[in-house]
């Protein structure tokens, strides 16, 4: 086995003296050390596959998938031209109830709950930063009523009307014939959402049998 050369500081004195006398003898050209060849071989070798910092990082999570429910409930693209003024309502309560039931029962949007719809109509009518809330119980109570103006002072009625009107504009749909008739009949500010319709009293002639309400919420005298 070849001897391993020790550092100069650890060689004994007598060995160091013999090495000094031998240093005056002619020296032949030493062959390249195997250590150097080894280092040369190492340099020629391809670099080892070190773990890349980029490859070690996890792939970014894909963006969340937009559901059909999220798209139809979002009407924020429709900007209010007069945000400080209330909307004029030109749908009866029965019409708004019909639209609510149709949306909740639509098989294309199975994940729309009453709570989700309540949040959507609040954002549509009062803005995303509004502190106003509408509970599912209020929505259920409004849906149980019957009549063109039954529930006209409910927050659900007003907010849902604004939501469906913005949705109509977003989808590019025209106004219905009933909607155009409502605009003609309720031209002076739209349906009253402040006074309970059933509390309004009418004075009629003795020849009349009473007052009835048509499908558009307008009273008419019955003889």
């Amino acid at each position: 086995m070849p001897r391993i050369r020790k550092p100069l500081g650890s060689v004994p004195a007598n060995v160091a003296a013999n090495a000094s006398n031998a240093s005056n003898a002619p020296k032949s050209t030493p062959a390249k050390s195997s250590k150097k060849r080894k280092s040369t071989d190492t340099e020629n070798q391809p670099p080892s596959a070190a773990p890349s910092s980029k490859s070690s990082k996890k792939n970014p999570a894909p963006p969340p998938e937009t559901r059909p429910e999220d798209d139809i409930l979002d009407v924020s693209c429709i900007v209010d031209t007069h945000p400080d003024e209330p909307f004029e309502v030109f749908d009866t309560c029965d019409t708004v109830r019909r639209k609510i039931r149709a949306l909740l029962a639509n098989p294309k949007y199975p994940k729309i709950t009453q709570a989700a719809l309540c949040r959507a109509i609040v954002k549509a009518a009062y803005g995303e930063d509004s502190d106003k809330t509408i509970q599912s119980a209020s929505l259920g109570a409004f849906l149980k009523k019957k009549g063109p103006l039954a529930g006209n002072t409910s927050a659900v009625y007003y907010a849902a009307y604004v939501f469906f009107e913005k949705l109509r504009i977003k989808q590019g749909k025209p106004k219905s014939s009933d909607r155009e008739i409502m605009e003609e009949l309720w031209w002076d500010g739209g349906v009253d959402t402040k006074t309970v319709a059933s509390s309004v009293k009418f004075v009629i002639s003795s020849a009349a049998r009473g007052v009835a309400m048509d499908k558009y919420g307008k009273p008419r005298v019955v003889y």
Side-chain angles (χ1 to χ4, degrees), residues 100 104 114 117-118 134-144 156:
I100 293 174
L104 292 176
Q114 290 192 4
L117 180 59
C118 287
I134 294 179
Q135 304 296 329
S136 298
S138 299
L139 176 60
F142 175 73
L143 291 176
K144 290 179 181 179
V156 176

Side-chain angles (χ1 to χ4, degrees), residues 162-180:
V162 175
F163 167 78
F164 284 111
E165 177 62 8
K166 288 186 175 182
L167 181 61
R168 180 190 67 80
I169 297 173
K170 174 184 175 181
Q171 295 177 336
K173 294 182 178 181
K175 297 177 182 178
S176 65
S177 57
D178 282 346
R179 164 63 187 273
E180 292 178 345

Side-chain angles (χ1 to χ4, degrees), residues 104-143:
L104 292 176
N106 193 326
K108 293 172 59 178
Y109 314 110
K111 295 184 179 180
I112 292 183
T113 61
Q114 290 192 4
L117 180 59
C118 287
R119 291 191 295 268
I121 64 178
V122 166
K123 289 182 180 180
Y126 304 104
E128 295 186 0
D129 299 331
S130 174
D131 295 332
K132 188 173 183 61
T133 59
I134 294 179
Q135 304 296 329
S136 298
S138 299
L139 176 60
F142 175 73
L143 291 176

Side-chain angles (χ1 to χ4, degrees), residues 55-70:
S55 62
S56 62
K57 293 181 180 179
K58 294 182 178 180
N59 294 330
E65 183 180 356
T66 302
R67 302 181 305 174
E69 292 85 355
D70 298 331

Side-chain angles (χ1 to χ4, degrees), residues 10-23:
S10 62
V11 177
N14 58 344
V15 177
N18 295 334
S20 176
N21 295 334
S23 62

